[in-house]
Amino acid sequence: MSWPELVEDAAQIIHQAQHLTLSTGAGMSKESGVPTFRDAHEGLWEKYKPEELATPQAFQRNPDLVWSWYMFRLDLVSGAEPNAGHRAVAALDAFVPKVTVITQNIDSFHQLSGSVDVVELHGNIRRFRCFDNCQGPRTIIDLATSEVSKEIAPPCPHCDARVRPDVVWYGETLPEWAIKRAFEEAAACDVMLVIGTSGLVNPAARLPQVAKEAGATIIEVNPSFSMVTPIADLVLEGPAGEVMPAIVAALGKRAAG
């Protein structure tokens, strides 16, 4: 099947959808120039492995070291912008009655692009909370990062603990409410669009299978083969920044007449 035919088929499927759920991974934000989790190591950080820094135990041992690494990563995210793929995903809200974005990314690019209903499975690097959860696990501490040291983890304003990034670390479980919502949306949708994910990281990797078993049509957008490819009903090989705008353009033509 030719590229234009694949795009038209995807647009047709999405055009008929009543509930579209998207599952997005690191490949989507990599197009914005944001290094993946394992690639965010250069200069001082080359001697560290992610697994040595992204754990509660590492923060307990050396909170300032872990904080400094996350401030370095936050600078990388802040220096990048959502790409055409993110903007095209946000544009889907105009064509489908219900759209839910479930993302493994922690950069806020979906929200910054205009997506309204976003479930963040792994948290958000732009948010912060108390390491001891003194005010509850979902209490977010507002920090003006430009006024906060990039080398020293600040104290919690409510207790004697330190402030940490609101992201999921190795050894931690994903937020219960986020997982519950993600699986509910996967089971309820009639179309799932899987973008830029390898399909290797659980529990997000199970979402396409849940949707498939519930009768949803699976569309994959990915430059290369993934664990999702064998169960996808339609596969568009290519980066989201190219594929998604083409699909949205096809949807626009359908809506116009």
Side-chain angles (χ1 to χ4, degrees), residues 75-165:
D75 283 344
L76 295 177
V77 169
S78 300
E81 295 180 351
N83 60 59
H86 292 106
R87 294 190 291 272
V89 166
L92 294 173
D93 285 344
F95 299 103
V96 183
K98 179 175 173 58
V99 178
T100 304
V101 179
I102 302 166
T103 187
Q104 299 172 62
N105 299 332
I106 60 173
D107 49 42
S108 293
F109 284 168
H110 283 301
Q111 295 94 319
L112 292 172
S113 298
S115 289
V116 176
D117 189 6
V118 181
V119 180
E120 296 172 319
L121 292 178
H122 295 164
N124 192 311
I125 199 170
R126 302 176 196 264
R127 292 198 309 256
F128 309 93
R129 61 182 173 87
C130 173
F131 181 78
D132 286 349
N133 292 328
C134 68
Q135 301 293 306
R138 294 193 66 186
T139 297
I140 302 301
I141 295 171
D142 185 20
L143 294 179
T145 54
S146 60
E147 300 174 7
V148 173
S149 169
K150 295 179 186 280
E151 289 81 34
I152 300 174
C156 173
H158 306 293
C159 72
D160 294 329
R162 299 283 198 101
V163 170
R164 58 165 284 178

Side-chain angles (χ1 to χ4, degrees), residues 27-46:
M28 184 136 209
S29 291
K30 191 172 184 179
E31 290 183 60
S32 292
V34 177
T36 63
F37 177 71
R38 296 188 179 280
D39 291 337
H41 285 254
E42 58 184 54
L44 168 67
W45 305 108
E46 289 180 356

Side-chain angles (χ1 to χ4, degrees), residues 43-60:
L44 168 67
W45 305 108
E46 289 180 356
K47 61 183 179 181
Y48 296 99
K49 295 180 180 179
E51 297 87 344
E52 296 173 346
L53 297 172
T55 71
Q57 294 78 14
F59 192 83
Q60 286 177 314

